[in-house]
Amino acid sequence: IFQDRGGVGRVMTLEPCRWIDGWPMLGDEEGNVPEEMEKPVLGFEGGEIVSSDDFDGETLGLDWQWNHNPVDEAWSLQERKGWMRLKTSRTADNIFLAPNTLSQRMEGPGCEGEVRIDISKMKDGDVAGFTVFQGDAAVMSIEKTGGKTYIVGSTQSVSLEPRSHAVTAVDRKDVMRLPLRRNVVYLKITADFTLGKDLAQLLYSTDGKQWNTLVKDFKMRYDYRRMFMGSRFGIFNYSTKDKGGYIDVDYFRYRRIE
C-alpha cells in the first residue's frame, strides 16, 4: 500500500494479507498492520531506489528521472567523460517550465544530496543549480546576468490551471543573492522528514569543505493537486535569453540519514 508521509510523499509499505473463503483479509490475525514484518519473498538484495552517481557510465541509471520529456540532444555523458553535461535547449521563464531537469526522489527519515558543478560555459541569462522540488520548491541557482555571476537562494511556489496543469504563476522569494567568482561550485541539500518537521537546508561551497547556508529550514510539502510525487532532488540548467550554454556535473553524492 501507499502511505502519505508529509513532504517525502507517498511511501510504499508492506502489510500481511490472508485469504479467507476467497477474500483477501488485510492485516495480521488480529486485523492490525504491524510496524515491522518479515518480507515473504526476499528478492534481489542489491540496488537502491536512490543512489549516488559519478556519471562515468554509458547510460543513466534507473534511479534518475527527467522532470519533463527529455530533449536528448541537450544532455550527454560522452562529451566530457565522467561528467553529465546539461545544455540549454530553449528559453524558459522559471524552473517549473525548464526542460531537462534531472531528478531523484528523496527518502525518509532523512537524506542528503551533494553535487559538484562546472559553470564555466554558462551564457548570459542562464540559470543552473540544485533544488528540492515539488509544487513548493527551494532553489539554489547560479545566475549569469550582465556579465556577472551570482549564487541565489530562493523559495518558489507554482500555481497551475486545475485541468491542464499549465503554469499560471510562480511566486518567487529570494532569500540570499551573493556574487560568485569561481567556475566550480558545490551544492548540498539536507532533508529531515521526521514527524512534524519536513525541513530542508540548502548549502553551497566553493571548495567542498567550508559550507554556507543559502536557504534555512525550508518547509517541504507534498501537494498531489499540483505534482503527484513527493519532494525530489533536481539538477537543472535553463536559459532565459539564448540557448547554447551548458554546465558539467561531476557527481551526485547521496547519503541516507537514519
Side-chain angles (χ1 to χ4, degrees):
I1 62 173
F2 282 114
Q3 185 181 59
D4 286 349
R5 294 189 182 174
V8 78
R10 304 186 312 146
V11 176
M12 295 176 288
T13 64
L14 289 177
E15 67 172 289
C17 177
R18 297 168 294 116
W19 291 86
I20 299 178
D21 296 331
W23 291 92
M25 307 298 290
L26 301 181
D28 60 20
E29 293 181 356
E30 286 75 39
N32 299 316
V33 179
E35 290 187 4
E36 294 184 4
M37 60 173 282
E38 294 292 329
K39 289 190 291 185
V41 179
L42 292 182
F44 178 56
E45 294 184 359
E48 301 289 344
I49 62 172
V50 187
S51 62
S52 299
D53 199 334
D54 289 329
F55 299 118
D56 55 1
E58 297 294 322
T59 60
L60 277 174
L62 295 178
D63 313 274
W64 293 106
Q65 296 88 41
W66 296 102
N67 193 46
H68 295 73
N69 289 336
V71 181
D72 286 332
E73 61 270 20
W75 68 274
S76 174
L77 292 171
Q78 310 302 320
E79 293 183 18
R80 184 177 180 182
K81 289 293 186 179
W83 300 68
M84 157 63 75
R85 178 161 292 179
L86 286 177
K87 308 174 186 179
T88 60
S89 59
R90 63 173 182 262
T91 59
D93 292 331
N94 54 70
I95 191 174
F96 297 98
L97 294 174
N100 279 24
T101 296
L102 189 61
S103 75
Q104 288 200 47
R105 68 175 306 156
M106 292 174 155
E107 293 179 299
C111 60
E112 179 180 275
E114 178 189 329
V115 294
R116 179 176 184 258
I117 304 177
D118 183 339
I119 61 171
S120 59
K121 300 301 182 181
M122 292 177 66
K123 297 178 63 175
D124 198 67
D126 287 359
V127 182
F130 197 32
T131 176
V132 50
F133 192 74
Q134 225 274 343
D136 294 333
V139 185
M140 289 184 289
S141 55
I142 295 96
E143 302 181 4
K144 293 209 69 169
T145 178
K148 296 182 179 181
T149 305
Y150 300 89
I151 185 162
V152 183
S154 66
T155 61
Q156 303 186 32
S157 182
V158 68
S159 297
L160 304 176
E161 197 281 325
R163 292 183 64 86
S164 67
H165 273 208
V167 175
T168 57
V170 175
D171 180 17
R172 171 173 169 163
K173 294 181 174 64
D174 285 1
V175 178
M176 191 176 298
R177 176 182 292 265
L178 300 167
L180 185 64
R181 299 180 179 87
R182 300 291 183 91
N183 284 329
V184 173
V185 64
Y186 302 76
L187 305 175
K188 181 189 293 185
I189 296 172
T190 301
D192 183 353
F193 292 106
T194 53
L195 185 64
K197 289 191 176 180
D198 286 342
L199 297 176
Q201 318 300 329
L202 282 68
L203 308 98
Y204 80 97
S205 173
T206 56
D207 60 9
K209 298 176 183 178
Q210 184 69 37
W211 293 92
N212 306 281
T213 300
L214 269 181
V215 180
K216 183 178 180 181
D217 292 340
F218 171 72
K219 183 70 173 180
M220 295 175 287
R221 295 179 174 85
Y222 168 52
D223 185 352
Y224 69 90
R225 296 166 299 180
R226 289 183 290 173
M227 297 185 182
F228 196 59
M229 301 299 293
S231 301
R232 303 180 68 86
F233 295 112
I235 307 170
F236 64 91
N237 182 33
Y238 65 92
S239 174
T240 63
K241 292 183 178 180
D242 301 308
K243 64 182 183 180
Y246 61 84
I247 63 170
D248 289 330
V249 185
D250 187 13
Y251 59 73
F252 169 76
R253 290 179 180 166
Y254 177 76
R255 181 170 68 94
R256 186 171 181 179
I257 304 171
E258 296 294 342

